């Protein structure tokens, strides 16, 4: 009986019956519209079979598609929903998906073309999520830019987080980075580096190579 709930769902709109009643609560805070978790809170999707302890790639994707289906509930109220593994191992995806490129090239080579680097400013940091924004003049370029899985935040050559979402629909495009729990936040200017997409099926001409503190400070 329990076993059937542990099976990962392959349906986008999984039938959530039997998982326990959803009891949404107000998030501890909101920043840039993003609900932020309090101590005993987790994310759940309206029709999801899992609960999320952090802002992982899956949460970011869902928030981008259907923000109203992303709910916050108390950990005590998750019912039979299972813990999301992406949340537990936020950087595992690099080794699982298109990991070869990342492992052979832990740090991207300097990009000679200056227009492939876009300056970012810190909009805020809260609950392990870093919010960075770009100027309105980069809205068009970032609208043509995809975020592929496991896009790193590099600080001093170390992978200190992953870029989970790029929202280019705003006047000042917003980048949302999930910080590694062990990472120390560094204030100051950042930048985003673009490259060609790794995926053959890419629908956009650019992808984010990495996010990093801006040099020369
Ligand atoms: Zn998750």
């Amino acid at each position: 009986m329990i076993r059937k709930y542990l099976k990962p769902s392959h349906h986008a709109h999984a039938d959530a019956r039997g998982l326990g009643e959803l009891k949404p609560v107000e998030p501890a805070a909101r920043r840039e519209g993003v609900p932020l978790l309090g101590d005993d809170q987790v994310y759940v999707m309206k029709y999801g079979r899992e609960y999320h302890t952090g802002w992982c790639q899956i949460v970011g994707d869902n928030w981008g598609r259907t923000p109203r289906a992303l709910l916050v509930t108390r950990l005590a109220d998750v019912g039979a929903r299972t813990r999301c593994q992406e949340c537990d191992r936020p950087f595992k995806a690099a080794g699982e998906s298109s990991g070869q490129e990342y492992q052979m090239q832990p740090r991207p080579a300097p990009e000679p073309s200056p227009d492939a680097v876009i300056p970012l400013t810190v909009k805020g940091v809260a609950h392990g999520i870093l919010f960075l924004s770009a100027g309105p003049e980069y809205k068009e370029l970032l609208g043509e830019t995809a975020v592929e899985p496991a896009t790193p935040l590099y600080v001093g050559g170390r992978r200190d987080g992953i870029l989970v979402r790029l929202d280019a629909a705003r006047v000042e495009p917003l980048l949302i980075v999930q910080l590694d729990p062990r990472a120390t936040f560094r204030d100051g200017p950042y930048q985003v580096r673009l490259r060609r997409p790794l995926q053959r099926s890419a629908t956009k001409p650019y992808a984010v190579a990495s996010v990093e503190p801006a040099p020369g400070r």
Side-chain angles (χ1 to χ4, degrees):
M1 200 58 190
I2 298 284
R3 177 168 297 190
K4 87 177 193 190
Y5 299 129
L6 297 175
K7 279 185 190 169
S9 171
H10 299 290
H11 303 284
H13 297 283
D15 179 7
R17 277 181 305 172
L19 295 175
E21 189 194 343
L22 260 184
K23 298 174 186 166
V25 295
E26 266 304 299
R30 286 182 191 272
R31 192 180 286 267
E32 306 295 324
V34 176
L36 300 176
L37 298 177
D39 282 343
D40 61 341
Q41 296 181 337
V42 293
Y43 295 112
V44 285
M45 309 303 164
K46 204 167 179 183
Y47 301 104
R49 293 179 169 276
E50 296 181 320
Y51 66 90
H52 302 266
T53 54
W55 189 270
C56 70
Q57 187 94 41
I58 296 168
V59 172
D61 287 351
N62 275 276
W63 183 68
R65 276 197 303 268
T66 49
R68 275 181 295 181
L70 175 63
L71 304 172
V72 172
T73 190
R74 261 185 264 280
L75 181 59
D77 291 334
V78 296
R81 290 170 188 81
T82 53
R83 188 183 170 104
C84 166
Q85 299 195 346
E86 188 90 3
C87 288
D88 286 343
R89 296 169 304 186
F91 306 133
K92 187 70 179 274
E96 284 172 353
S97 51
S98 48
Q100 287 302 323
E101 293 91 336
Y102 297 109
Q103 278 162 14
M104 290 168 64
Q105 208 182 353
R107 202 173 179 192
E111 174 60 62
S113 173
D115 59 5
V117 174
I118 296 172
L120 301 173
T121 54
V122 173
K123 293 285 280 186
V125 62
H127 299 268
I129 308 172
L130 172 60
F131 298 87
L132 300 166
S133 74
E137 65 270 34
Y138 296 106
K139 182 176 160 67
E140 197 176 337
L141 178 58
L142 288 172
E144 296 288 286
T145 302
V147 177
E148 296 183 331
T151 300
L153 164 72
Y154 283 123
V155 179
R158 243 183 59 148
R159 184 188 287 253
D160 266 4
I162 52 169
L163 176 63
V164 291
R165 179 150 171 78
L166 164 58
D167 184 354
R170 312 161 70 98
V171 176
E172 292 191 339
L174 185 70
L175 286 83
I176 298 178
V177 174
Q178 184 187 9
L179 294 172
D180 187 306
R182 297 160 299 181
T184 311
F185 166 65
R186 271 207 214 175
D187 205 357
Y190 281 73
Q191 63 184 25
V192 57
R193 204 175 278 280
L194 305 187
R195 57 163 163 73
R196 296 289 169 194
L198 295 173
Q199 294 166 0
R200 270 172 200 273
S201 56
T203 53
K204 294 184 173 178
Y206 307 104
V208 176
S210 62
V211 177
E212 62 209 22
R217 301 193 281 119

